[in-house]
Amino acid sequence: MSISADELAAIRASFQRLLAERGTEADVRRAIASPEGYDAALWRGIGDLGLAGLIAPVADGGAGGGAVELELLMEDAGAALLCAPFLSSVVIAGGLVAGGDDAEDRARLLPRLISGAAVGAVALTGEAGLWTPQDITVRAAEGRLTGVASYVLFGAQADVLLAAAWDAEGPAVYEVAAGATGLTITPLKTFDLTQPMAKIAFEGVEARRIAGPEALARTLDLGRIALAGEQAGAARRIFEITLDYLRTRVQFGRPIGGFQAMKHMAADLLIEVENATSAARHAASAVAQGAPNAQVMVNLAAFACADAFSQTAATAVQMHGGIAFTWDHPAHLYLRRARADARLFGASDLYRDRYLAALEAVDA
Amino acid sequence: MRDEDLIAEVRAFLNTHWDAKKKRPKAGGGAKEFRHRVLEAGFAVPSWTAEWFGRNLAADQARLIEREFAAVAAYGAGQDKTNLFANTILAAGTDALKREVLQGLLTSEIDSCLLYSEPGAGSDLAAVRTRADRTADGWVVQGQKVWTSGARTAQYALLLARTDWDVPKHQGLSFFYMPMKQPGVDVRPLHQITGDSHFNEVFLDGAVVPEANLLGNENGGWKVLQTALAYERLVMGEGAGERRQGSGKDNRKSLIQMARSAGRLGDPVLRQKIAQALAYRQLNDLNLARAKAEMAQGTASPIMSLGKLAMSRILHGDAAVMADILGAASLLDGEENPESADMNYRALNAYMTSIGGGTDQIQRNIIAERVLGLPREIEVDRDLPFRDSRAVKG
C-alpha cells in the first residue's frame, strides 16, 4: 500500500469538502435533471483532486490506493448519492485497464481515466441482468463482438467503452471505440435517477482484447467492495436524516422519536447500519491483505450491505410519514439508489448462495 | 512499558505455568493456584491500579495480555472487562469490602449471583419492593427475588433493595453485596420452559447485610446498578447466553454440517436461510471486532450496546433454521432424537437472551435513548413518591 494513514485522512477530508460544497442535495437534483445525466462539474472536481486515480498504480500515474482506501471514500460518495461515474469509470473501467496485459493499452487509456478527462463504462451483464458469467451473451470472435449487453452504468456517456465477452479463455474484457460501426447504444429509463444506464447491442463491432478472465474477476471484487462501501455510507446518511426528523417532528405534543414504535424501528436500523459498515470495511481489508477468507467477506458484504441499505432507505420513508411521500423530500432519492444498488452486480440471493459456498470451501 | 516487552513477559509467564497443549496448568499446579499466579502477575485486571491487583495499563495494552491468554486458551486474564462483580465492587465498594472479597472474586473462589428482578419488577426494575432497613447490626432485608442464576452455590449476591419509600422510585434504591450463606436466605429452584432449573427464586426474610457492604451511597443504588447491568449486557452480546448451562456442549455446531449430514445442503431455499443465519452471526462478530478496535484507539463505540439485541436474533434464527433442516424430525424430542432435542432446547433457551438482562424491547428503548439520543420514555410514576405509585397501591 502506498498511501499512508495521514495521506488517506487528507484525501478523505478533501473529498468530503468537495461533496459538502458541490455535492449537496440541490446539486444532486440539478444533476439528475441535466442532459448529461450526471454532475459534470462535480466529476471535474473529482478529477482535479486526483481522486479518479485513487486506485491506479503509482507507476501508471495513479495514487496506488487499494480496497481499503476505496471503500472509505465510497462511504462518503454513497452518503452524498454521488452523481458521477466513479464506480463505473474509476473502479471498474480503470481497474480493468490497469489489470490488463498490454502496456500500450495502459499508456493509451489510463491517463484519460486517471485524470477524469474520459468517462469509462463497462458492459458486464446480459439482458437478464443476472451478473453471472453465464449471463454474458456477448461473444468475441476474430476481433469482433456480437451480442447484447444491458444495465450498463454510464454506457451512453462513455468515452472509454469496455465489454465483457466470451472468448476461448472465458469471459474476457474487450475495448470498442465509442462510435464504432455496428454499435447501438440505447439509454434506459431507470427508476434510480442518480445512475444512468444503457443497453448496448454489438453487431460485429471491431474490438481489442485488453484483459483476461482473472483481471475481470479481480476487478469485479473491487467493484463489489466499492458498492458495499457506497451502500454502507448511504444507509448511514439516510438513517441520520431520519433521526434528525424523529428529534424535531412534533405530534401529540412531543417529538415522534419519543414513541416506542419509532424507537424500536430506529434501534433495529442502527444494527443494520453498523452491520453494513463492518461488512464493507472488513471485506476491504480482507481483500487488501489477501486473506484466505476474502471471498467469504466479499460475498457477505455484497448482500449484507445491499440488504441494509434497502431496508434502511425503505423504512426511512415509512418513519418520516407523509413528508417523505413528496418528491421534494430526499428520502425517495435514497430509496431509488438503494433499489438500484441492490441489483447492480446481482441480487442478494446470488451472493448469499456464494457466501455459503465460500464458507463451505473455507471449512473443507 | 513497550508492547513487545509486555508480550514477552506474558509469554514467559504462560510458558512457565501453562501447558498450552493440554490446555491446563502445568504439572503440579491446580486451577486455583494458576489463578492466584495470574492475579499476582497483574494479568487478571491489568488496567486496574496496583493497589487493587492491577498494573495501571491502558486498555490497548491490557487487551494484549488477553490476546496472549486467549491464544493458548488460558483463563484468568481480562477480568477488568468481563467480571461484573469485581468491577462493580471496585467502582462502588468500600475499601473494607474490597479487601474482603476482590481477591476471591478474581481467583474464582467467590461465586456471586444477582438479586435484581422481582415478581412485580421485571422490565420496570426500579419498582422493586424488597426492603432494606438500617439497624445497629447492619441492613435487614425483607422481600422476594426471582431469575437468579447460581443462587445455590453463591457466597454473595448483588442486591437491589428499597431504602426510602417516600421519594420517587429511582431515588429510594440502594445496592448491596449481600452474604448468601445465612439464615433468612431461602433459595428455591425455578422450573424453566427448557426443563432446566438454571434460575432460582430467592426469599429474603430478615437476612442481614453488613454496613461495609453497601455499594455507593444510600439511595444511590440505581446509578451503581447501571454499571453492573452494562457489564452483564456486554457479556451477553458476546454470546455467553448461548452456552448451555451445566454442560460443556458447544452450541456453535455448524449449520452447514447439519444440513450436509441431512443431505439437504443442496436445497436452494435452505441455503438462503443457512447463509442468512450464519451472516447475522458473522456480522455481529465483525461489529464487536470493530468496536473493540475503535475503543482501543480511545473512541467510544455505540456498537457494544447492540450485541445483546443482535444475539437474540441470531439465537432464535439459528434454532428456526435448524428446525427447517430437520424437517418433520423437529417434532421429536428426547435422548433418542439428539439433534431434535438440541434444536428444541435452543429454540426455547434463546428466550434467555431475548428476555433476560432486559427484554429486546427494553434494549431497543435503551439504544434509542442512550445511543441515538431520542427522547426518554414518559413514565407516569417517575416523580411520584414510591409509596403512592401503582407498584405499591395496585
Side-chain angles (χ1 to χ4, degrees):
Chain A
M1 186 176 72
S2 52
I3 296 181
S4 72
D6 286 347
E7 284 166 341
L8 177 59
I11 291 171
R12 204 176 171 194
S14 68
F15 189 40
Q16 287 173 339
R17 213 161 35 238
L18 176 70
L19 291 170
E21 285 167 11
R22 291 158 68 184
T24 64
E25 185 191 334
D27 293 318
V28 169
R29 288 179 183 275
R30 203 157 23 75
I32 62 183
S34 71
E36 294 90 353
Y38 68 98
D39 192 332
L42 183 56
W43 177 237
R44 275 194 300 278
I46 287 170
D48 292 344
L49 285 176
L51 295 174
L54 179 72
I55 57 165
V58 174
D60 292 315
V68 171
E69 295 79 18
L70 174 63
E71 189 281 332
L72 276 178
L73 260 70
M74 288 304 291
E75 288 186 25
D76 300 325
L81 297 178
L82 181 69
C83 294
F86 197 90
L87 180 61
S88 163
S89 191
V90 175
V91 184
I92 310 284
L96 288 171
V97 173
D101 324 308
D102 191 292
E104 264 179 45
D105 288 336
R106 296 155 69 103
R108 183 167 53 82
L109 297 172
L110 265 183
R112 293 162 65 211
L113 290 171
I114 288 174
S115 68
V119 169
V122 187
L124 292 167
T125 194
E127 285 184 285
L130 301 178
W131 275 272
T132 58
Q134 296 73 28
D135 189 46
I136 298 169
T137 56
V138 180
R139 314 265 150 195
E142 292 163 8
R144 290 183 183 275
L145 301 188
T146 302
V148 179
S150 195
Y151 308 104
V152 183
L153 275 182
F154 289 85
Q157 289 80 6
D159 306 300
V160 172
L161 183 58
L162 309 179
W166 283 92
D167 62 20
E169 272 186 50
V173 182
Y174 286 78
E175 180 206 357
V176 300
T181 312
L183 191 66
T184 312
I185 301 177
T186 314
L188 298 171
K189 173 79 181 158
T190 53
F191 176 67
D192 175 23
L193 306 164
T194 59
Q195 302 182 103
M197 290 178 169
K199 181 166 141 179
I200 303 181
F202 302 85
E203 291 172 65
V205 180
E206 201 177 317
R208 179 177 170 82
R209 191 182 200 269
I210 65 158
E214 201 196 324
L216 178 59
R218 210 171 43 235
T219 302
L220 281 177
D221 274 350
L222 207 55
R224 291 181 187 107
I225 289 167
L227 182 61
E230 169 175 317
Q231 290 164 325
R236 190 174 292 278
R237 177 64 58 82
I238 186 59
F239 181 56
E240 287 166 354
I241 290 171
T242 306
L243 285 177
D244 278 345
Y245 191 67
L246 294 184
R247 295 188 193 105
T248 50
R249 166 73 170 173
V250 172
Q251 290 284 275
F252 303 101
R254 56 181 169 132
I256 59 171
F259 294 105
Q260 291 196 15
M262 290 293 157
K263 284 181 180 170
H264 292 193
M265 289 165 103
D268 286 340
L269 287 186
L270 179 63
I271 293 183
E272 296 302 321
V273 169
E274 296 296 351
N275 280 352
T277 303
S278 293
R281 291 184 186 176
H282 278 95
S285 61
V287 165
Q289 292 162 12
N293 69 343
Q295 278 306 305
V296 171
M297 301 305 284
V298 169
N299 287 303
L300 174 64
F303 70 87
C305 297
D307 294 350
F309 183 25
S310 297
Q311 191 188 332
T312 306
T315 308
V317 173
Q318 183 65 27
M319 292 173 83
H320 276 88
I323 189 70
F325 196 64
T326 67
W327 187 266
D328 292 341
H329 193 275
H332 75 109
L333 300 176
Y334 284 88
L335 178 59
R336 288 165 188 268
R337 181 85 162 225
R339 290 182 49 161
D341 280 0
R343 303 224 163 238
L344 207 45
F345 294 139
S348 287
D349 287 0
L350 172 71
Y351 287 105
R352 257 189 294 274
D353 200 86
R354 286 184 182 173
Y355 167 67
L356 190 56
L359 280 175
E360 289 172 57
V362 172
D363 268 1
Chain B
M1 183 171 207
R2 297 188 315 161
D3 285 0
E4 42 275 40
D5 296 338
L6 178 63
I7 290 171
E9 185 193 333
V10 179
R11 285 184 185 166
F13 173 89
L14 288 167
N15 262 333
T16 312
H17 300 296
W18 184 256
D19 186 333
K21 273 205 186 108
K22 293 178 180 158
K23 293 180 179 165
R24 64 179 195 209
K26 279 210 168 144
K32 180 176 159 186
E33 192 185 338
F34 180 73
R35 288 183 186 278
H36 273 277
R37 289 188 197 281
V38 174
L39 186 70
E40 282 156 22
F43 298 151
V45 283
S47 65
W48 290 12
T49 62
E51 187 190 1
W52 301 110
F53 310 103
R55 295 177 59 153
N56 291 310
L57 291 185
D60 54 343
Q61 286 205 324
R63 297 296 85 88
L64 291 179
I65 298 174
E66 234 177 278
R67 205 183 308 155
E68 293 299 321
F69 270 66
V72 295
Y75 44 71
Q79 296 190 61
D80 41 1
K81 212 178 67 188
T82 55
N83 191 326
L84 83 92
F85 300 101
N87 278 287
T88 305
I89 285 162
L90 179 82
T94 59
D95 281 358
L97 182 63
K98 288 182 203 170
R99 275 191 296 274
E100 187 187 328
V101 301
L102 271 185
Q103 176 166 333
L105 280 168
L106 295 172
T107 56
S108 296
E109 284 160 86
I110 294 180
D111 287 336
S112 311
C113 61
L114 303 172
L115 296 176
Y116 297 169
S117 299
E118 297 178 6
S123 292
D124 184 10
L125 191 54
V128 297
R129 285 182 292 172
T130 291
R131 63 184 307 141
D133 296 295
R134 191 180 241 142
T135 71
D137 303 323
W139 297 86
V140 176
V141 185
Q142 203 78 30
Q144 182 186 347
K145 294 288 179 179
V146 72
W147 303 122
T148 304
S149 49
R152 276 161 289 181
T153 52
Q155 292 105 310
Y156 287 90
L158 284 176
L159 167 74
L160 184 68
R162 189 158 304 281
T163 43
D164 188 343
W165 297 67
D166 296 315
V167 293
K169 63 180 180 182
H170 294 91
Q171 298 162 29
L173 298 168
S174 298
F175 208 44
F176 302 94
Y177 197 52
M178 184 184 80
M180 286 288 284
K181 304 295 180 195
Q182 58 166 315
V185 176
D186 182 15
V187 177
R188 299 180 203 170
L190 200 69
H191 197 200
Q192 297 157 212
I193 56 175
T194 51
D196 287 351
S197 287
H198 165 66
F199 293 108
N200 302 277
E201 294 179 288
V202 178
F203 295 83
L204 302 164
D205 184 9
V208 178
V209 185
E211 187 63 47
N213 291 29
L214 173 67
L215 300 176
N217 297 326
E218 180 180 354
N219 297 326
W222 186 253
K223 194 168 158 239
V224 188
L225 171 73
Q226 299 313 309
T227 310
L229 282 178
Y231 280 105
E232 187 180 354
R233 287 167 182 155
L234 195 68
V235 172
M236 288 180 96
E238 290 179 332
E242 70 179 315
R243 273 198 294 277
R244 187 168 183 167
Q245 301 293 330
S247 86
K249 194 164 180 172
D250 177 13
N251 269 11
R252 295 197 171 206
K253 187 172 153 190
S254 163
L255 295 174
I256 296 174
Q257 190 52 47
M258 198 174 173
R260 188 180 283 138
S261 58
R264 300 193 62 197
L265 192 52
D267 180 325
V269 176
L270 265 187
R271 287 183 68 80
Q272 290 289 313
K273 292 179 179 177
I274 292 169
Q276 191 61 61
L278 294 173
Y280 283 142
R281 187 182 283 282
Q282 184 155 28
L283 289 166
N284 192 44
D285 291 345
L286 297 181
N287 273 341
L288 290 171
R290 184 159 62 89
K292 284 175 186 172
E294 284 172 6
M295 288 195 301
Q297 291 171 355
T299 318
S301 176
I303 306 173
M304 294 313 279
S305 55
L306 300 179
K308 187 171 115 55
L309 184 56
M311 192 51 74
S312 287
R313 173 163 75 172
I314 290 164
L315 296 178
H316 282 286
D318 280 357
V321 176
M322 284 179 185
D324 287 340
I325 294 171
L326 291 170
S330 66
L331 300 174
L332 308 176
D333 206 4
E335 280 173 18
E336 59 271 41
N337 305 292
E339 284 199 311
S340 298
D342 179 55
M343 178 279 298
N344 288 327
Y345 183 89
R346 286 164 190 254
L348 296 174
N349 206 47
Y351 288 102
M352 185 139 92
T353 293
S354 62
I355 295 175
T359 63
D360 283 358
Q361 287 64 39
I362 291 291
Q363 282 302 109
R364 289 188 176 97
N365 283 355
I366 290 171
I367 291 164
E369 292 173 13
R370 298 193 197 156
V371 178
L372 301 177
L374 296 177
R376 286 192 58 95
E377 267 321 285
I378 290 173
E379 292 173 75
V380 294
D381 56 356
R382 191 169 183 86
D383 300 318
L384 213 59
F386 188 68
R387 195 180 290 290
D388 300 328
S389 74
R390 290 194 65 170
V392 175
K393 298 175 85 172

